[in-house]
């Protein structure tokens, strides 16, 4: 894992070629780790990605009293029988706002929970009003001030019908987990439909929860007395897969991506074909081959909740667009400030104009290496990808952002032929 004084140095080095194996999904592993707090027996999770964010979530579980054992690099045994606190340590919430999804399980276990108000982050304000609306509907009293958020259900949680004004992934997960042991039936309307919601629902069902409709906008949860243990393999990371697929196309390479579910990343496949790449999906295995042998053409993307184009692949696709033939357009509808990679791409010679949540990109023949800064996890990945096709050397700082969501990005790109290394600077 990186710290503040590491940088990634990339030199344009021609097409990517070879095979890359995708890791387990960060955005599925995080809520599933939180869901382990609901169980009182051994749980074994496999395909858990080696990431900074996962380390932080494991610290949160340990601080609450869960027993954690690594069985191998990506397999973890967790037992939360003896958890003895309903308060998430404030300093850990500061490190990772995604730890907010432990509130639902703690509310279900203790009928009360408290944590630090999760700050926004650089891609947006990231409010949690929909999470709290759900907890309130289930019978909890919630208090939020600048510093902390608490939820207390004196008479326990009772099923309710909860409409989400926005299909929030985190709110859907938090409410689903809180409702697993509420009295009676809960219906979440306008629920998020991401594959990570389905993976969480499958995991909870194996623990004895009664959930129907995950993957659709109506999820029904019938409360049960208790949840047991189980074994579960985390689904592949569709955003990591998208990152390498886009990199293969923009370097005019030929890359086989292993451990990817095509159905989970359909919009990115469609857009890669639209710009002129070739995408071959294997019938019976989770393998996708992406190749391109000529300059790609511009297109438009609009990010939307699943099954629309994923906001988490927007920065990476913009890196590809910056060297396409002609004009491209990007509209970011999920977060209010997710264009911070634009200034950094412009430093590398990209021609991008933004107005609010819209960007216009005019493809240039060549990017040039520059000193740039990762501003968030996906923006950082986009800069590595831009460096792969730039003339000369690109030095990327603040790479701790990248390590939060990409395991061994340097090794994986180097194995595909990239001229890339990680250096420590004093
Ligand atoms: C999850 O964040 C992912 N993170 C994000 O991935 C991803 O970008 C996002 O879903 C959308 O797909 C994890 O799963 C850990 P949301 P989450 O609640 O749950 C608004 C990455 O790069 N909103 O669906 O926080 C919110 O402001 C990260 O891996 C409310 O208004 O996303 C935002 O505009 C970045 N009120 C929109 O919904 C609420 O109570 C989407 O947020 C909650 C959210």
């Amino acid at each position: 894992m990186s710290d503040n004084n590491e940088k990634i140095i990339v030199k344009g080095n021609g097409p990517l070629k070879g095979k890359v194996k995708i890791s387990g999904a960060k955005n599925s592993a995080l809520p599933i780790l939180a869901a382990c707090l609901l169980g009182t027996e051994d749980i074994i999770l496999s395909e858990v990605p080696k990431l900074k964010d996962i380390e932080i979530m494991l610290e949160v579980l340990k601080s609450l009293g869960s027993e954690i054992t690594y069985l191998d690099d990506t397999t973890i045994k967790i037992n939360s029988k003896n958890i003895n606190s309903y308060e998430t340590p404030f300093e850990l919430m500061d490190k990772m706002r995604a730890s907010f999804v432990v509130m639902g399980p703690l509310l279900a276990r203790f009928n009360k929970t408290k944590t630090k108000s999760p700050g926004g982050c650089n891609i947006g304000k990231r409010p949690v009003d929909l999470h709290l609306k759900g907890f309130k509907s289930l019978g909890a009293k919630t208090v939020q001030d600048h510093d902390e958020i608490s939820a207390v259900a004196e008479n326990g949680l009772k099923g309710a019908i909860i409409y989400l004004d926005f299909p929030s992934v985190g709110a859907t997960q938090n409410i689903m987990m809180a409702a697993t042991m509420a009295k009676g039936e809960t219906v979440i309307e306008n629920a998020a439909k991401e594959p990570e919601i389905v993976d969480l629902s499958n995991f909870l069902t194996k623990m004895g929860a009664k959930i129907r409709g995950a993957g659709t906008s109506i999820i029904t949860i019938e409360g049960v007395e208790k949840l047991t243990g189980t074994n579960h393999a985390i689904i592949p990371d569709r955003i990591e897969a998208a990152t390498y697929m886009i990199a293969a196309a923009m370097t005019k390479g030929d890359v086989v991506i292993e451990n990817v579910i095509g159905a989970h990343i359909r919009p990115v496949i469609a857009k890669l074909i639209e710009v002129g790449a070739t995408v071959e999906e294997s019938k019976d295995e989770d393998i996708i081959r992406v190749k391109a042998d000529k300059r790609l053409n511009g297109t438009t993307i609009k990010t939307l909740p699943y099954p629309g184009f994923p906001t988490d692949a927007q920065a990476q696709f913009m890196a590809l667009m910056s060297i396409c033939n002609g004009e491209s357009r990007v509209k970011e509808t999920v977060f209010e400030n997710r264009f911070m990679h634009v200034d950094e791409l412009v430093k590398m010679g990209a021609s991008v104009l933004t107005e609010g949540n819209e960007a216009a990109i005019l493809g240039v023949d060549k990017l040039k290496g520059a000193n740039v800064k990762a501003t968030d996890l996906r923006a950082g990945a986009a800069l590595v990808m831009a460096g792969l096709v730039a003339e000369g050397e690109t030095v990327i700082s603040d790479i701790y952002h990248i390590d939060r969501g990409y395991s061994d990005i340097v090794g994986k790109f180097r194995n595909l032929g990239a001229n890339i290394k990680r250096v420590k600077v004093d």
Side-chain angles (χ1 to χ4, degrees):
M1 301 299 162
S2 69
D3 41 37
N4 261 335
N5 64 349
E6 284 190 299
K7 295 183 190 281
I8 288 178
I9 299 179
V10 196
K11 279 197 190 119
N13 192 34
L16 295 179
K17 299 238 187 249
K19 283 185 183 172
V20 59
K21 185 171 184 322
I22 299 303
S23 305
K26 164 178 87 83
N27 292 349
S28 186
L30 289 173
I32 285 178
L33 283 168
C36 291
L37 292 167
L38 291 162
T40 52
E41 295 172 9
D42 280 352
I43 291 169
I44 295 187
L45 295 180
S46 54
E47 301 302 321
V48 180
K50 288 168 65 60
L51 300 169
K52 190 78 195 137
D53 275 10
I54 298 296
E55 282 178 20
I56 297 170
M57 185 59 92
L58 291 172
E59 275 178 62
V60 171
L61 297 188
K62 265 187 225 150
S63 72
L64 296 166
S66 296
E67 287 151 44
I68 311 260
T69 323
Y70 258 102
L71 302 181
D72 67 32
D73 250 5
T74 55
T75 310
I76 303 176
K77 184 167 87 168
I78 299 170
N79 186 305
S80 302
K81 186 168 188 301
N82 304 318
I83 54 171
N84 49 24
S85 163
Y86 58 84
E87 292 195 24
T88 315
F90 280 23
E91 70 285 357
L92 290 176
M93 176 58 80
D94 270 344
K95 278 189 186 174
M96 182 183 68
R97 59 178 316 286
S99 7
F100 194 68
V101 281
V102 303
M103 277 198 94
L106 292 175
L107 196 52
R109 278 291 291 269
F110 296 109
N111 287 332
K112 58 185 170 189
T113 179
K114 182 159 84 169
T115 184
K116 185 174 187 323
S117 288
C121 67
N122 29 23
I123 61 175
K125 285 193 310 300
R126 312 293 293 271
V128 289
D129 56 307
L130 298 175
H131 300 242
L132 301 182
K133 172 181 182 180
F135 297 154
K136 267 187 233 151
S137 304
L138 292 169
K141 215 153 89 276
T142 63
V143 176
Q144 175 174 17
D145 64 27
H146 176 71
D147 251 345
E148 67 180 49
I149 293 184
S150 63
V152 180
E154 256 129 37
N155 310 315
L157 297 178
K158 217 162 116 1
I161 296 175
I162 300 156
Y163 171 76
L164 293 182
D165 307 57
F166 183 90
S168 154
V169 171
T172 302
Q173 292 164 341
N174 238 339
I175 296 164
M176 193 155 85
M177 291 189 279
T180 51
M181 295 193 276
K183 283 185 209 58
E185 181 178 85
T186 296
V187 180
I188 306 175
E189 296 178 340
N190 196 27
K193 300 187 268 192
E194 276 72 359
E196 293 76 25
I197 302 285
V198 177
D199 202 25
L200 175 61
S201 172
N202 292 340
F203 172 69
L204 289 168
T205 302
K206 290 200 289 190
M207 288 175 73
K210 288 195 169 45
I211 303 174
R212 292 192 321 276
T216 75
S217 47
I218 308 272
I219 301 178
T220 305
I221 305 107
E222 186 61 42
V224 295
E225 282 299 304
K226 78 191 272 280
L227 296 179
T228 60
T230 189
N231 295 353
H232 186 77
I234 304 291
I235 55 171
D237 192 318
R238 62 194 169 100
I239 303 301
E240 186 192 19
T243 303
Y244 289 98
M245 290 160 67
I246 296 164
M250 68 192 276
T251 59
K252 293 195 211 122
D254 182 350
V255 174
V256 173
I257 289 103
E258 298 175 330
N259 196 33
V260 51
I261 299 172
H264 290 175
I265 200 64
R266 195 58 57 211
V268 173
I269 292 172
K271 287 295 170 181
L272 284 174
I273 293 168
E274 235 174 74
V275 298
T278 305
V279 180
E280 293 163 5
E281 294 182 65
S282 78
K283 293 271 166 302
D284 42 9
E285 294 166 274
D286 294 345
I287 291 176
I288 291 181
R289 181 177 180 184
V290 177
K291 48 186 183 182
D293 49 16
K294 61 188 184 316
R295 189 177 182 189
L296 302 169
N297 300 309
T299 185
T300 61
I301 60 170
K302 176 177 176 184
T303 68
L304 286 166
Y306 194 88
F309 191 96
T311 173
D312 292 348
Q314 179 255 106
Q316 302 91 311
F317 214 88
M318 190 186 286
L320 174 145
M321 291 166 151
S322 68
I323 54 163
C324 278
N325 235 338
E327 279 224 354
S328 295
R329 286 265 188 287
V330 173
K331 186 162 187 179
E332 170 58 59
T333 74
V334 177
F335 288 105
E336 65 270 28
N337 183 31
R338 204 167 196 180
F339 281 156
M340 281 159 305
H341 43 284
V342 169
D343 288 352
E344 303 306 306
L345 289 172
V346 167
K347 279 183 201 161
M348 298 177 70
S351 166
V352 187
L353 286 177
T354 61
E355 171 91 27
N357 67 347
E358 301 203 43
I361 301 104
L362 183 59
V364 295
D365 294 343
K366 263 276 173 207
L367 294 175
K368 55 186 188 314
N371 292 336
V372 290
K373 221 186 242 299
T375 50
D376 65 86
L377 141 73
R378 308 301 173 186
L383 295 173
V384 171
M385 296 158 73
L388 296 173
V389 297
E391 227 154 42
E393 186 174 89
T394 299
V395 181
I396 303 162
S397 53
D398 290 356
I399 61 170
Y400 58 87
H401 286 292
I402 302 176
D403 287 330
R404 294 189 48 190
Y406 287 92
S407 51
D408 192 17
I409 193 167
V410 170
K412 287 179 176 174
F413 271 128
R414 191 185 293 133
N415 287 341
L416 291 171
N419 180 336
I420 181 171
K421 61 185 177 189
R422 179 192 283 265
V423 295
K424 263 199 187 316
V425 287
D426 45 32

